[in-house]
Amino acid sequence: MQRRTFLAAAGTAGAAALAGCSNSSSSGTPDNNTNGYETLTVDGSNAQVPLAPIEDVHQWFQDGSAKFADARGQRQYDASHIEGAVLSPAPDGRANDPTGAWDESQRIVTYCGCPHHLSSMRAASLIDSGYTEVFALDEGFFEWRDRGYPLQGAEVDVEPPSYTVRGQTDASLAGKNAWARHEQSEQREAGPIADDGSFELVLHFYDVTESSPIVVETPEYRIERPLGELAETVVTDVER
């Protein structure tokens, strides 16, 4: 079994984006069933999050042996989501989260579009809360969509634009998270800060244009700029 480390602390941006969510905690390491898959470890969690390949996940979908949790935001979920999935945003869900009614032995697949930053956060939180068979969809939502697998939503035929935001922060913050948010629609994306302090965020946001204001936040700084400007430069704290 291979193991990767994804350091995915929610950080101040995550806390702001997910107001009303509580942090989960755990005593000891849950005995999660990894199926021999490659796993991610998430900063601040004892969990090992298995990355389930899309072929296996689709089979679980077909035979009804898994429930699905969309770790993105409300706007993205409303537009298009895996058929039958519930909205359960990363990292810790929402008030009266639908996963709370699921049995702790239920097989659960979390997913996002990045392809597995937000989904691994949500999966780790579920594992820490006692769920014993939780997986993150390795290839992410858009691979599911591109394969023509079942979807629901108001805009299943709409593919949101993709923008890449690159940035730089202090190397001492390696392993923390950088976040990008469109505050009006509460859409957000996260990604780990690399050993050299660099980060890269791939945004799949609905109803945004190059003039839309996007907040980029790291533990060191917070800036807000039009998306087009952010995509054309390397974001740094000099821009504060």
Side-chain angles (χ1 to χ4, degrees):
M1 180 176 64
Q2 295 176 299
R3 184 176 302 170
R4 278 186 280 169
T5 300
F6 169 50
L7 298 167
T12 56
L18 296 161
C21 297
S22 60
N23 292 325
S24 61
S25 62
S26 171
S27 58
T29 303
D31 184 20
N32 194 53
N33 177 10
T34 65
N35 278 28
Y37 298 145
E38 183 178 5
T39 62
L40 294 176
T41 56
V42 177
D43 187 42
S45 170
N46 291 318
Q48 297 176 20
V49 177
L51 298 178
I54 195 167
E55 292 83 3
D56 290 1
V57 172
H58 184 241
Q59 183 60 51
W60 298 341
F61 175 89
Q62 289 183 308
D63 62 28
S65 64
K67 291 184 180 294
F68 290 77
D70 191 318
R72 302 173 301 162
Q74 184 76 57
R75 177 65 183 90
Q76 292 143 305
Y77 175 84
D78 288 343
S80 184
H81 57 267
I82 292 176
E83 184 178 296
V86 302
L87 175 63
S88 185
D92 298 318
R94 54 195 174 117
N96 300 314
D97 197 84
T99 62
W102 295 351
D103 190 274
E104 289 185 349
S105 63
Q106 170 67 55
R107 178 185 285 158
I108 300 170
V109 177
T110 63
Y111 68 88
C112 62
C114 36
H116 48 236
H117 295 324
L118 297 176
S119 61
S120 63
M121 290 183 195
R122 187 68 191 107
S125 178
L126 288 166
I127 295 168
D128 286 343
S129 296
Y131 294 85
T132 58
E133 195 169 0
V134 185
F135 304 84
L137 175 58
D138 192 9
E139 295 87 348
F141 172 75
F142 290 101
E143 179 65 20
W144 181 281
R145 181 187 186 278
D146 290 346
R147 293 189 182 207
Y149 293 162
L151 299 172
Q152 288 177 315
E155 301 170 72
V156 295
D157 294 326
V158 176
E159 183 170 359
S162 176
Y163 291 91
T164 300
V165 175
R166 296 178 176 85
Q168 185 72 39
T169 189
D170 195 277
S172 66
L173 299 173
K176 302 299 183 182
N177 261 3
W179 288 79
R181 305 196 312 276
H182 182 236
E183 295 192 322
Q184 288 181 316
S185 65
E186 298 183 354
Q187 296 178 92
R188 72 257 191 265
E189 189 55 83
I193 297 170
D195 289 344
D196 63 356
S198 64
F199 59 87
E200 180 175 296
L201 305 170
V202 180
L203 313 186
H204 300 280
F205 290 172
Y206 291 86
D207 303 328
V208 299
T209 66
E210 292 191 357
S211 63
S212 298
I214 300 294
V215 172
V216 174
E217 190 163 6
T218 75
E220 184 183 33
Y221 62 83
R222 179 187 187 278
I223 66 167
E224 182 173 346
R225 294 285 187 276
L227 177 55
E229 291 184 19
L230 293 173
E232 292 176 353
T233 188
V234 175
V235 179
T236 70
D237 60 345
V238 174
E239 299 185 46
R240 282 185 293 178

